[in-house]
């Protein structure tokens, strides 16, 4: 059933590390720029900001940047 599937876990590690770094950087910039917001609003927006970090990561990966890690 899975004869044609070949997994190489080393090609997955690089993009995942870049994903974590991107999400951390985006949330850090958000914290630096918007720490003046009320605490409840800041905590409410931190989730969508982290998801935006995934979106920022996904565009170059879809454009072929993942080939760098192969």
């Amino acid at each position: 059933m899975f004869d044609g599937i070949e997994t190489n876990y080393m090609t997955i590690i690089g993009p995942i590390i870049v994903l974590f770094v991107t999400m951390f950087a985006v949330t850090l910039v958000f914290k630096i720029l918007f720490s003046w917001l009320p605490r409840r609003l800041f905590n409410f927006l931190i989730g969508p900001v982290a998801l935006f970090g995934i979106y920022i990561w996904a565009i170059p990966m879809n454009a072929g940047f993942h080939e760098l890690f192969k």
Side-chain angles (χ1 to χ4, degrees):
M1 182 171 162
F2 297 108
D3 292 334
I5 295 176
E6 184 176 318
T7 57
N8 186 358
Y9 293 107
M10 294 307 289
T11 61
I12 294 175
I13 294 173
I16 296 298
I17 291 172
V18 173
L19 171 65
F20 289 139
V21 169
T22 305
M23 289 178 64
F24 180 75
V26 169
T27 53
L28 183 66
V29 168
F30 177 74
K31 182 177 180 177
I32 291 170
L33 293 178
F34 295 105
S35 61
W36 54 270
L37 287 173
R39 191 73 166 157
R40 291 187 71 183
L41 181 61
F42 180 83
N43 288 341
F44 178 73
L45 293 175
I46 199 76
V49 168
L51 291 175
F52 184 67
I54 293 174
Y55 184 72
I56 290 173
W57 170 82
I59 292 173
M61 289 298 162
N62 192 25
F65 185 67
H66 66 278
E67 293 293 326
L68 176 70
F69 295 102
K70 287 187 177 181

